[in-house]
Amino acid sequence: MEIKLPNVTCRRVLLTGFTLCVLLVTKPTSAIDVHTEPEVMMENGTTGVLRCTFQTYAVVTSSTSVTWTFQSNQPDSQYFKAPYVIFYFSNGKGFPGQAEFKDRVQFIGDINKRDASIQLSSAQFSDNGTYFCDVKNPPDVQGTQARTELRVVLKESLPQSKTPIIVGAVCGALFLLVLIAVAACVVMRMIHNRHDYEGCTSLESVSSQAPQPRKKVESSQEGSRCTSPSGPLQGPVIYAQLDHSGSKNSFHKMEPVVYADIRKN
């Protein structure tokens, strides 16, 4: 008796009563995946790159091949009706195609890194059109070729890069921040110096006001000194009251003595 499951086959052995299952490994059925840039712009007379990468489940070998074809978008061109091979790569070697691209197409990719890019030099207006990249990696040969549109234009028609604008804006912002920082430092230093000056002024005013009472005392002392007699130092002065009645024995005792001691300082 045989039982079939996805990727598994089971058969029962009648003699032993056991069921023997065998796992069948099948290869994946996914196709090779090729990628290119949707559009490439090049300046007339310059060199540009047409990039092409691919993904494959099979191991990359010398049998891996790359084919680049071109179809012009100009009705008067010989490549307008159908794509023409302009470059073929296989077994590690490149083979130029049409004579018009023979000396201007160079393979710059790396098959081991899944890169099949080419370089187109001396771009011309007649190169405008669609470029197809097709990669085959046996046994992975099923897949769709990728396409990219090439536009060869004058330098004035190229889109301006925003990198200088971004760099200028960043530099301007950094310069403005530096100016703000310097201005803040100057203002803080001025405020700090002003506080220090006010502190010194307050200390000087306090120190100048403190000795004022002493000056008043000294002035009063000086006033007293000015009013004091400037003559020589006098001793004690005795005052007495005499009897003028005429009697000899009418002398009375003296009145109390008043002493005054005036000294010159």
Side-chain angles (χ1 to χ4, degrees):
M1 183 179 180
E2 185 176 351
I3 302 175
K4 291 185 177 181
L5 297 175
N7 297 332
V8 178
T9 300
C10 297
R11 177 173 296 180
R12 180 174 294 177
V13 182
L14 298 178
L15 296 177
T16 60
F18 294 100
T19 301
L20 179 63
C21 296
V22 178
L23 177 63
L24 301 178
V25 180
T26 59
K27 295 182 179 180
T29 58
S30 60
I32 189 171
D33 193 7
V34 185
H35 299 276
T36 57
E37 297 176 341
E39 184 180 32
V40 176
M41 296 186 65
M42 296 176 56
E43 181 184 352
N44 182 35
T46 61
T47 300
V49 176
L50 301 178
R51 301 191 180 279
C52 177
T53 58
F54 62 94
Q55 295 178 355
T56 176
Y57 69 86
V59 178
V60 176
T61 62
S62 59
S63 60
T64 303
S65 64
V66 178
T67 304
W68 277 91
T69 57
F70 166 68
Q71 185 174 6
S72 176
N73 58 6
Q74 301 176 11
D76 57 346
S77 175
Q78 59 178 337
Y79 307 109
F80 177 73
K81 294 182 179 181
Y84 289 82
V85 176
I86 61 173
F87 186 82
Y88 178 75
F89 181 88
S90 181
N91 293 324
K93 297 180 180 181
F95 302 93
Q98 298 294 326
E100 187 176 353
F101 295 92
K102 181 178 181 181
D103 299 328
R104 298 193 298 124
V105 176
Q106 180 181 359
F107 186 77
I108 60 172
D110 189 345
I111 295 298
N112 294 325
K113 296 181 180 180
R114 278 108 172 123
D115 187 358
S117 303
I118 60 173
Q119 176 180 282
L120 178 63
S121 59
S122 301
Q124 305 170 6
F125 293 111
S126 59
D127 296 335
N128 286 325
T130 305
Y131 291 78
F132 300 90
C133 178
D134 189 16
V135 181
K136 303 297 182 183
N137 184 34
D140 189 3
V141 295
Q142 300 296 327
T144 304
Q145 59 185 0
R147 54 186 294 170
T148 181
E149 296 289 335
L150 175 63
R151 294 178 56 191
V152 180
V153 296
L154 296 175
K155 183 177 181 180
E156 293 76 10
S157 302
L158 290 173
Q160 298 297 329
S161 176
K162 296 182 179 180
T163 302
I165 299 176
I166 296 175
V167 172
V170 172
C171 293
L174 292 177
F175 183 72
L176 182 60
L177 290 176
V178 171
L179 287 180
I180 294 174
V182 172
C185 292
V186 172
V187 172
M188 293 297 295
R189 179 167 294 182
M190 292 176 62
I191 294 175
H192 181 71
N193 294 337
R194 183 176 180 181
H195 285 322
D196 292 344
Y197 178 75
E198 290 178 353
C200 294
T201 305
S202 59
L203 291 175
E204 291 177 357
S205 61
V206 171
S207 61
S208 62
Q209 291 176 2
Q212 289 180 359
R214 184 176 181 181
K215 289 183 179 180
K216 291 181 179 179
V217 174
E218 291 177 355
S219 62
S220 62
Q221 291 179 357
E222 290 176 356
S224 62
R225 292 175 184 176
C226 292
T227 55
S228 60
S230 57
L233 183 62
Q234 298 180 0
V237 180
I238 301 175
Y239 297 89
Q241 186 177 2
L242 301 177
D243 186 9
H244 301 281
S245 60
S247 60
K248 295 181 180 180
N249 297 325
S250 61
F251 185 82
H252 297 280
K253 64 179 180 180
M254 292 184 299
E255 294 295 330
V257 179
V258 179
Y259 298 93
D261 187 6
I262 300 175
R263 296 181 181 181
K264 183 178 180 180
N265 292 331

